[in-house]
Amino acid sequence: MNAPAAELTEQTHRRGGGRLGRKALRSAPIASFPTLVRKIPVYEIVPDEAVELIHEESLKILEEVGCEFRDDGAIALWKAAGADVRETRVRIDRALLMELVSKVPPEFTLNARNPERTVRVGGKHSIFVPMYGAPYVRDLDNKRRYGTLADLNNFHKLAYMAPALHSSSSVICEPMEIAVPKRHLHIIHSALKHSDKPFMGIVTSKERAEDTMAMAGIVFGEEFVRDNPVLVAITNCNSPLVWDATMIDAMRVYASHNQPLILAPFALCGASTSASAVGAVAQVNAEALAGVALTQLIRPGSPQIYGQFMVTVDMKTGAPMGGTPEAAQMMYLMGALARKYKLPWRTSGFHVGSKLNDAQAGYEANMLMHAAILSGANYIWHVAGWLEAGLTCGYSKFATDCEQLVGWYKYAGGVPFDDFKEAMAAIREVGPQGHFLGTQHTLEHFESAFFMPNIMDFNSFEQWSAEGAKDHDTRGIEKARSMLADYQEPKLDEGIAEGLRDLIARREEKLPDSVS
């Protein structure tokens, strides 16, 4: 479905009130935007010479300082490749590094269980992905509490229903009542059951990654998932300059199945990097390239995503900050480096520090999403629900973020000229002192011409007051409630559903109830 048609479906959704309207909606397909193809130029914040300077210093870091790979298998691979290995410290010659990085395809297809939701990542193609990993939720009563499996189910439902979200993520919030050794099974089951969009894998142990691939194999077919991307998984380098065994274990499982990983240093700039934006980028670039290179030793040619998570810290308290100008500037630098290496790349969009869906959250989100779009990011993560530096996923924030993504989708899609001739004809038809409300052009375009959010309020003060004087946060909660009321599950084939239930039951029998 093209974007204007998807927007029309969303507007029909808003107007279709009453029992008959809801019944019609439940029988209609859920609107879903295709992959965003960016039709606006990227913004180069520094000249090419500055990008080359950062690149050169990153290579020197890996050649002279080296990177820790705390995994025997990874060390063996680096030795066989000819790197300078001393215990777990690996120094990588630039020629070897760039040869490995060059093996990564610049674009790849990410398959969904519903082929209509399959997307493209890389080049001018971008996708929006909701948040990941929150232990807390800000619920439909606007209370902060631990997340549950019911909350996770709800967020996967909301992700499925949001036209501008291209993925359901996975652990949007932690289902805290489920024992950690068994939790991953229910997280992946929820993502596969409640949405037919692409999803994300689990990386907290080798066994959990293997369980994820087994569940994907039931849904897509074991032969298919050996070679075709159906999920994305996140692996974080521990800045400064450490890839640990847990991340490498997951990397090995997914890369060997040709599943893309985000190779993303988790950098608290000023704490785990130097207190310098360009210094932090040089370090994070080195860390990310080292991870990308290792995936190509595991499976040459496997699709991967160059990544970063870089936030500045409050130098008074050490707390991470969201939405700062330095975080935006670092995105632009990472985007320029990704284009140099011809790598698909990931950043984060709406990752904010605010505790509430308030003005601070809006300011922070706008700062970062502008940078994400204009720096040419391909996998834009954490764009729905994120509050409190990722500790909390909010229902209101999730709903309002999803509405804003429709606007960003239009923004990045560029200015259309397809109806320009008809618009000029309408001016001649109306002439001076007339109006355009009844022209054929207006009748054909009024629903799709402009971004028309329904959570944001543009009514008069008097009408707003008469309708309860509701703030943005309250309207977001109401929107989330209405979306969940209209949800209809995209049913799995019963044989596949039974296969997933059987695998979960068998694995739960073997797994402990607590971490030893």
Side-chain angles (χ1 to χ4, degrees):
M1 180 179 291
N2 61 31
E7 287 177 86
L8 179 58
T9 302
E10 171 64 7
Q11 290 152 6
T12 304
H13 184 138
R14 297 199 300 262
R15 294 194 303 274
R19 181 171 59 84
L20 292 177
R22 288 192 294 272
K23 182 178 179 181
L25 284 168
R26 292 190 179 109
S27 64
I30 292 295
S32 183
F33 288 8
T35 308
L36 169 59
V37 179
R38 286 176 284 101
K39 296 179 181 178
I40 57 176
V42 295
Y43 180 66
E44 304 286 357
I45 199 170
V46 296
D48 291 345
E49 293 81 4
V51 177
E52 286 300 319
L53 175 63
I54 295 171
H55 165 70
E56 181 67 21
E57 291 303 315
S58 297
L59 297 183
K60 289 179 181 178
I61 290 170
L62 291 176
E63 288 178 326
E64 299 169 7
V65 180
C67 186
E68 292 274 327
F69 290 88
R70 296 178 179 174
D71 174 87
D72 290 344
I75 291 300
L77 286 172
W78 281 118
K79 284 182 177 178
D84 178 2
V85 179
R86 304 174 196 178
E87 298 182 346
T88 58
R89 182 77 65 91
V90 179
R91 293 174 175 82
I92 311 169
D93 175 78
R94 65 184 60 200
L96 172 60
L97 178 75
M98 298 316 297
E99 178 189 358
L100 292 170
V101 169
S102 70
K103 296 179 185 295
V104 177
E107 299 182 19
F108 64 89
T109 296
L110 180 58
N111 296 279
R113 71 171 175 93
N114 178 351
E116 293 183 1
R117 316 287 197 235
T118 291
V119 292
R120 191 80 178 156
V121 180
K124 291 185 176 295
H125 302 96
S126 298
I127 63 172
F128 293 134
V129 184
M131 75 164 296
Y132 181 105
Y136 299 99
V137 300
R138 183 160 287 278
D139 64 20
L140 291 168
D141 296 317
N142 217 359
K143 304 294 184 184
R144 182 181 185 271
R145 56 170 173 77
Y146 280 123
T148 66
L149 183 58
D151 292 310
L152 182 63
N153 296 164
N154 282 342
F155 287 127
H156 285 146
K157 293 173 184 179
L158 292 172
Y160 167 65
M161 297 187 75
L165 282 178
H166 300 96
S167 166
S168 298
S169 188
S170 60
V171 52
I172 295 175
C173 73
E174 294 276 1
M176 299 292 280
E177 79 274 28
I178 299 176
V180 170
K182 303 176 181 180
R183 189 178 293 175
H184 65 289
L185 299 167
H186 297 275
I187 292 169
I188 298 302
H189 184 241
S190 178
L192 291 170
K193 172 182 168 66
H194 295 109
S195 174
D196 59 6
K197 296 179 179 181
F199 68 106
M200 295 190 70
I202 302 295
V203 296
T204 48
S205 76
K206 176 186 176 184
E207 292 73 20
R208 294 169 195 168
E210 289 172 339
D211 284 342
T212 301
M213 288 309 308
M215 295 175 78
I218 292 170
V219 173
F220 291 89
E222 291 184 5
E223 290 295 326
F224 190 81
V225 301
R226 286 197 183 101
D227 296 309
N228 297 285
V230 300
L231 60 84
V232 171
I234 174 66
T235 49
N236 289 128
C237 177
N238 292 332
S239 298
L241 297 165
V242 175
W243 283 96
D244 68 27
T246 299
M247 292 292 98
I248 295 172
D249 270 346
M251 192 187 298
R252 191 178 291 114
V253 171
Y254 291 121
S256 65
H257 283 85
N258 213 45
Q259 303 303 312
L261 295 137
I262 301 170
L263 291 309
F266 188 95
L268 300 176
C269 301
S272 60
T273 76
S274 59
S276 159
V278 292
V281 169
Q283 175 189 315
V284 165
N285 183 45
E287 295 166 337
L289 290 177
V292 170
L294 179 58
T295 67
Q296 300 308 294
L297 293 176
I298 296 168
R299 181 164 175 167
S302 59
Q304 306 299 335
I305 301 174
Y306 166 90
Q308 57 89 13
F309 184 85
M310 302 172 74
V311 295
T312 56
V313 299
D314 185 329
M315 300 306 287
K316 301 185 296 293
T317 66
M321 298 188 293
T324 63
E326 294 82 11
Q329 290 169 340
M330 290 187 287
M331 280 192 207
Y332 288 115
L333 295 175
M334 293 298 287
L337 289 161
R339 288 188 292 279
K340 175 181 174 61
Y341 307 132
K342 297 181 173 59
L343 292 174
W345 78 284
R346 165 261 167 148
T347 192
S348 301
F350 291 158
H351 60 106
V352 304
S354 182
K355 317 304 181 289
L356 300 170
N357 189 19
D358 58 7
Q360 179 181 331
Y363 291 140
E364 292 179 286
N366 185 66
M367 173 73 77
L368 297 177
M369 185 57 85
H370 249 120
I373 293 293
L374 293 180
S375 60
N378 304 113
Y379 193 96
I380 307 179
W381 198 9
H382 302 319
V383 298
W386 182 287
L387 288 169
E388 200 181 337
L391 290 175
T392 298
C393 184
Y395 279 83
S396 173
K397 182 69 161 42
F398 201 103
T400 57
D401 284 345
C402 288
E403 179 172 272
Q404 288 300 303
L405 290 175
V406 175
W408 284 106
Y409 190 100
K410 291 197 74 170
Y411 180 89
V415 179
F417 276 76
D418 53 329
D419 68 331
F420 188 61
K421 182 178 179 180
E422 291 82 0
M424 295 300 98
I427 295 172
R428 288 162 175 79
E429 176 185 344
V430 172
Q433 298 188 15
H435 67 77
F436 291 78
L437 296 178
T439 66
Q440 187 64 31
H441 179 265
T442 299
L443 293 174
E444 291 176 355
H445 293 87
F446 76 97
E447 289 188 298
S448 60
F450 308 117
F451 171 51
M452 295 191 294
N454 72 312
I455 301 175
M456 299 175 76
D457 186 277
F458 302 100
N459 292 323
S460 67
F461 177 82
E462 290 76 15
Q463 186 174 348
W464 172 74
S465 299
E467 293 177 355
K470 297 169 184 174
D471 63 16
H472 193 63
D473 202 11
T474 300
R475 294 194 300 272
I477 289 174
E478 290 180 350
K479 178 63 174 179
R481 286 186 187 276
S482 70
M483 290 175 71
L484 291 170
D486 287 333
Y487 172 79
Q488 186 176 24
E489 184 179 314
K491 295 288 188 180
L492 286 160
D493 174 86
E494 185 51 40
I496 290 174
E498 180 58 33
L500 289 172
R501 291 192 292 267
D502 180 64
L503 184 147
I504 291 169
R506 286 186 288 105
R507 290 293 292 139
E508 286 199 311
E509 285 183 2
K510 297 180 179 180
L511 292 169
D513 289 324
S514 62
V515 179
S516 58

